[in-house]
Amino acid sequence: MRSDDAELSGEASKTLMAQDPEMLESSLRSADIASAVLDYFACQASLPASIHEAVITNTKTPADVFVRFAQTSTNGALLERIALNQQLLIQTPALIDAIIANPNSTSEAERRASETKREFFEKERGAQQIVNELRAQGKEAAAEFLEQSEFAQDLEGSGMDLDDAAFLAGMIEVPESETDDSWLGLEYIEEIYEETAEQRQAIVDKILGDMRFEETEVSSERVSILNRVLKMGMKDRVKLAMKGDREARNILIRDPNRIVSQAVVQNPRITEQEMEQIAAMRSISEDVLRNIANDRQWSRSYSIVHNLARNPRTPIANVLNILTRLQLRDLSALSKNKNVSDAVRRQALRLSQARTGNK
């Protein structure tokens, strides 16, 4: 339909336009029709309203096609029909502006588009409005997190603004139904307390120092993310650790509070690659390393247990159990590794000598 060959494009257009209107309308309502075909017919101003209606009611019609149609259509009734779809307007803000700017819009279409713009996109909006917007966009996990968070109950008191709240909610990828907080026993809950501003800043400095030690250079964007995350209290950080995306996990695994870092490894979306990196970190809690070593799933990975064995922070009891699983070359290397404890080096040497028959 759209081709660099003008003659070919023209012939294709003639063929399509020659179709029986009823058959064409039926085809345009089909779920199997190509998006490019819907795009083409949406742009043909001379077609009957029933053809355009078939295009705008097809669930396969792309958002940018709606925007172009709303910018150029002379049919106020169809613009009004589009304006009734509030979820589509929220997902495609440019569509709101296109309806309002089109001189052919009906007063009802303009009213609905303007109300949606005020309710969901005007600057002065509360946390609940962000929750509503997230739900309308199908982001239930993010809406759920923000709704249950402590900081959203008093944004000003927490030192956050609406942009912060929306940003943090955007890091959520795990819904409540996928999380399991059975690990959060009484001994952990009793340690949940509110931190002072000085304590929060100390945590920021600690995590930033760890990142710079491990990665050499930390971008200003990551520093900004870290500062936003640490505006949250401990309870909200635990929730973010269990439900957040990879960036949230990468930050919070370094949180010096063992409850927060332990929550990260309970996140159902954490990957084996991430766990390999965590097992090698020297800046995290011994409790986290112990739990990884005792976990059936992660302890099946040779890369993970090898990193645990080489990590001087891993409790010795766990390392001694791991040593019997290591390959000979790794045992030999560990017996000469000055970063691990003497007990680990000696046991690694004994095991490697026993395997080679040397004493």
Side-chain angles (χ1 to χ4, degrees):
M1 287 169 293
R2 288 181 180 147
S3 169
D4 292 335
D5 187 324
E7 184 178 352
L8 180 62
S9 180
E11 288 301 317
S13 296
K14 286 179 186 177
T15 301
L16 287 167
M17 292 303 214
Q19 297 292 315
D20 177 72
E22 289 187 7
M23 289 184 62
L24 182 56
E25 183 182 334
S26 176
S27 297
L28 290 171
R29 293 185 187 279
S30 169
D32 297 324
I33 195 164
S35 298
V37 176
L38 294 165
D39 189 359
Y40 175 79
F41 283 102
C43 297
Q44 305 306 310
S46 60
L47 291 173
S50 61
I51 299 295
H52 285 151
E53 183 183 13
V55 173
I56 66 171
T57 55
N58 193 317
T59 56
K60 284 196 68 176
T61 302
D64 59 330
V65 173
F66 277 101
V67 175
R68 284 196 293 275
F69 180 80
Q71 289 169 336
T72 59
S73 177
T74 59
N75 191 317
L78 292 182
L79 292 173
E80 192 171 308
R81 177 118 186 215
I82 294 172
L84 287 170
N85 190 340
Q86 189 182 61
Q87 186 168 350
L88 177 63
L89 296 182
I90 294 168
Q91 292 171 341
T92 317
L95 182 57
I96 296 175
D97 295 330
I99 293 171
I100 294 172
N102 190 324
N104 298 295
S105 286
T106 65
S107 57
E108 180 66 10
E110 283 189 38
R111 182 184 70 79
R112 288 184 173 277
S114 297
E115 284 182 357
T116 301
K117 186 172 186 176
R118 276 197 305 274
E119 183 178 355
F120 293 99
F121 297 101
E122 294 299 333
K123 200 66 179 174
E124 291 72 36
R125 54 188 180 145
Q128 186 56 49
Q129 286 171 299
I130 299 177
V131 168
N132 294 342
E133 179 183 330
L134 290 168
R135 282 214 164 90
Q137 294 172 351
K139 299 176 180 176
E140 181 61 33
E144 190 178 68
F145 169 77
L146 191 55
E147 207 165 38
Q148 296 174 4
S149 66
E150 291 190 339
F151 69 83
Q153 311 309 313
D154 180 16
L155 282 178
E156 189 175 342
S158 69
M160 295 193 195
D161 56 27
L162 291 167
D163 287 340
D164 289 330
F167 176 83
L168 292 167
M171 299 181 82
I172 297 296
E173 64 177 14
V174 181
E176 186 78 28
S177 59
E178 290 185 26
T179 59
D180 176 12
D181 61 2
S182 59
W183 63 275
L184 197 59
L186 186 62
E187 76 276 14
Y188 286 110
I189 294 173
E190 287 178 343
E191 290 186 30
I192 293 180
Y193 57 89
E194 190 51 51
E195 300 140 327
T196 64
E198 291 75 17
Q199 288 173 321
R200 295 258 186 91
Q201 186 56 51
I203 294 173
V204 170
D205 294 341
K206 187 265 182 190
I207 295 175
L208 195 53
D210 291 342
M211 286 181 169
R212 284 175 174 152
F213 177 78
E214 294 163 11
E215 303 171 20
T216 308
E217 186 177 343
V218 181
S219 68
S220 57
E221 182 182 359
R222 292 199 74 195
V223 174
S224 174
I225 293 172
L226 171 60
N227 279 306
R228 280 174 141 173
V229 168
L230 263 297
K231 284 182 180 179
M232 292 190 296
M234 191 190 303
K235 286 182 182 178
D236 287 338
R237 294 206 308 280
V238 169
K239 291 176 185 174
L240 181 63
M242 293 180 68
K243 301 180 180 184
D245 59 16
R246 190 183 185 104
E247 183 63 33
R249 296 193 294 267
N250 188 44
I251 288 172
L252 293 176
I253 192 62
R254 297 172 166 86
D255 195 305
N257 187 291
R258 69 176 186 137
I259 308 173
V260 178
S261 54
Q262 178 61 26
V264 172
V265 298
Q266 305 298 326
N267 188 307
R269 302 287 173 87
I270 198 165
T271 65
E272 186 170 323
Q273 182 185 30
E274 287 177 83
M275 202 60 79
E276 284 181 29
Q277 295 171 344
I278 292 169
M281 289 181 181
R282 301 184 185 184
S283 57
I284 61 175
S285 161
E286 289 186 8
D287 283 345
V288 172
L289 296 171
R290 180 184 295 108
N291 289 335
I292 295 172
N294 292 334
D295 186 279
R296 288 185 180 182
Q297 177 187 354
W298 303 122
S299 61
R300 285 197 290 264
S301 166
Y302 186 82
S303 299
I304 291 175
V305 294
H306 185 210
N307 282 350
L308 287 171
R310 293 183 296 173
N311 191 335
R313 294 276 294 173
T314 306
I316 290 179
N318 293 109
V319 178
L320 295 179
N321 286 331
I322 289 170
L323 290 181
T324 58
R325 297 178 52 193
L326 295 186
Q327 297 172 6
L328 181 58
R329 68 174 183 274
D330 294 327
L331 274 175
S332 179
L334 199 58
S335 68
K336 301 168 187 173
N337 188 334
K338 297 290 180 66
N339 291 318
V340 300
S341 70
D342 289 342
V344 170
R345 283 203 307 274
R346 284 196 301 270
Q347 183 62 7
L349 180 61
R350 287 193 197 101
L351 289 172
S352 62
Q353 288 176 338
R355 289 189 195 177
T356 56
N358 296 327
K359 290 186 179 180

